Amino acid sequence: MIWWALKVKNVPQVYIDIIRDMYRYSVSLVRTSVGDTKPFPITVGVHQGSALSPFLFSVVLDAVTAEIQDPPPWLLMYADDIALTDEGKQVLERKVNQWKGSLENGGLKLNVAKTEYMACGSTDSTPINIGNEPAVTTDKFKYLGSVLHESGIIDHDIRARISAAWSKWREVTGVICDRRIPLRLKGLVYKCIIRPVLLYGAETWPVLGRHVQELSVTEMKMLRWMCGVTRADRIRNEYIRGSLAVRDVAEKLQECRLRWFGHVCRRPADYVGNICLNLALDGPRPQGRPKKRWLDVVKADMSVNGLTRDDAQDRAKWRKASRKADPGKGRDNAT
C-alpha cells in the first residue's frame, strides 16, 4: 500500500528505488548484558527515528482519504490528529462514518475510544454514533496543544498554558533559582525555555483584560522567585524586568498577534488562515454584548502601533513596527 500511495502522489521513481534499497535485506539485533543476539530480518516498519515514518504516514493517509476530504476549515489534518467540523450533527455523523469506512478500506483503524465529540452552541447533548459505538461527548478537548471549549472562551487554554509553564519552570529551577547565576543569564533561560511554553498558541487568543492580568501575575511570580525577592521587599516590577532583561508579557502578546496577522495577510486568499478570518456563520446573534473576536484585538493592536492592514504587505516595515524586543544589548535584545 505504501508504494501504491507514493505512485499516486507522483513521486519520482528514483526516490522510490532509494527507499526500497534502504530497507532491502535490513537486519537488526538485541544487545544484552551477556552478549548480542543473532541478527534477524526486519520485514515491517521503518528505521528507528527515521524521518521517513511521518512522511509515509501522511502520504498514505492523504491517498486513502482523498475522496472524502473537505476544504478547510471544516477539515483539519495534522498527522493522525484529525478535526472534523460541520454545522449539522447528522452531517457530521455521516462524515465521521465515511472516514471510518475509508480508513478501514486502506488497512487503518479509527479508535472510537479516543474520538471525542463536542457541540458548540447546541442544547442537544446526545452523542454521535461511530458505527455501533457512541463517541465520547465532552465540553472541551485539546487539539495540537490548545484547549478548545464549547463556549468559545479561552480561559481553559490559558490555564493549561500557565500550568505547563510552571511545570517547565520547575524543571530548570536548579539554574534559575541559583544565586550564583547572573540575572541576565537567568532571564535568557526564562525567555528561551519558559516563556515560549507560556505563550504557546497566543497568536490566536482573543484576550481580555483579565487574561492578560493572569499571565502577568504568573510571569511576575516566576521573575521575583528567580531574583530571590518577594512582594514584601517592595521592589517595582519594572526593576525586576530590567534586571532580567525581560519585556512585559502583555507587549509580547501583542507582538505575537501582529506577527501572525502579518503572515496571514501575505498568504493567498485560499489559505486556511484567510478563510477563517472571512468566515461568516449563519444564525441569530445571542443577546447582550457580543464576544470579543480575535480580529477586534488585532485591530486595536494595529491602532496602537500606527499600522494598517495594507502595511502587512511590507514585511520589513511590519516587523519593525510590531516587534517588541526585550531590553538589553546584543543577544538579549534579539531574543
Side-chain angles (χ1 to χ4, degrees), residues 156-173:
H156 299 83
D157 193 19
I158 289 182
R159 291 170 194 159
R161 298 322 317 158
I162 291 175
S163 177
W166 275 116
S167 177
K168 187 61 65 175
W169 188 90
R170 285 188 288 270
E171 290 181 11
V172 295
T173 184

Side-chain angles (χ1 to χ4, degrees), residues 128-325:
I128 63 173
N129 293 317
I130 305 177
N132 297 323
E133 303 179 58
V136 178
T137 304
T138 181
D139 60 347
K140 64 177 182 294
F141 70 93
K142 181 178 288 188
Y143 184 69
L144 303 182
S146 296
V147 178
L148 308 177
H149 193 265
E150 63 178 2
S151 63
I153 61 177
I154 61 173
D155 299 59
H156 299 83
D157 193 19
I158 289 182
R159 291 170 194 159
R161 298 322 317 158
I162 291 175
S163 177
W166 275 116
S167 177
K168 187 61 65 175
W169 188 90
R170 285 188 288 270
E171 290 181 11
V172 295
T173 184
V175 174
I176 57 179
C177 292
D178 191 338
R179 293 183 178 272
R180 297 170 296 178
I181 303 296
L183 291 180
R184 286 300 177 96
L185 181 56
K186 291 183 179 181
L188 190 60
V189 172
Y190 171 81
K191 291 181 287 187
C192 294
I193 298 178
I194 302 174
R195 190 168 66 186
V197 177
L198 181 65
L199 299 184
Y200 176 82
E203 296 87 348
T204 59
W205 287 347
V207 293
L208 303 175
R210 56 187 174 86
H211 298 141
V212 178
Q213 180 67 16
E214 283 186 65
L215 294 170
S216 297
V217 169
T218 299
E219 184 178 67
M220 286 311 306
K221 284 182 180 179
M222 294 180 178
L223 299 184
R224 287 182 179 275
W225 209 330
M226 290 161 57
C227 293
V229 299
T230 64
R231 292 179 60 87
D233 295 315
R234 303 183 68 82
I235 299 177
R236 296 180 65 86
N237 292 348
E238 293 79 4
Y239 180 80
I240 298 293
R241 296 186 185 280
S243 300
L244 296 168
V246 174
R247 193 77 178 238
D248 188 353
V249 68
E251 295 179 330
K252 298 304 290 186
L253 280 169
Q254 186 182 101
E255 179 188 16
C256 291
R257 289 190 297 268
L258 289 177
R259 182 178 64 244
W260 178 247
F261 182 69
H263 291 327
V264 172
C265 289
R266 288 188 291 270
R267 295 296 297 271
D270 58 350
Y271 174 60
V272 61
N274 283 314
I275 294 176
C276 291
L277 284 182
N278 300 322
L279 185 65
L281 299 179
D282 298 330
R285 187 180 70 85
Q287 294 182 353
R289 183 177 180 179
K291 294 181 179 179
K292 180 179 286 188
R293 300 169 299 177
W294 179 76
L295 198 57
D296 298 331
V297 182
V298 172
K299 288 180 180 178
D301 295 337
M302 289 193 293
S303 177
V304 170
N305 291 273
L307 292 169
T308 64
R309 190 162 187 165
D310 294 336
D311 294 332
Q313 303 304 321
D314 188 341
R315 187 185 186 119
K317 178 182 178 181
W318 187 268
R319 176 180 173 85
K320 182 178 180 180
S322 62
R323 187 164 180 257
K324 309 295 181 182

Side-chain angles (χ1 to χ4, degrees), residues 66-114:
E67 296 181 356
I68 58 173
Q69 290 186 18
D70 291 329
W74 306 116
L75 171 65
L76 298 177
M77 298 178 61
Y78 187 86
D80 60 341
D81 289 331
I82 301 171
L84 286 171
T85 57
D86 202 276
E87 298 180 13
K89 179 179 177 181
Q90 290 75 18
V91 178
L92 180 63
E93 185 175 65
R94 177 175 55 81
K95 285 184 178 180
V96 174
N97 284 282
Q98 283 182 344
W99 267 84
K100 181 176 182 294
S102 296
L103 292 175
E104 290 176 348
N105 292 335
L108 302 176
K109 182 179 179 181
L110 177 66
N111 192 333
V112 180
K114 293 184 178 180

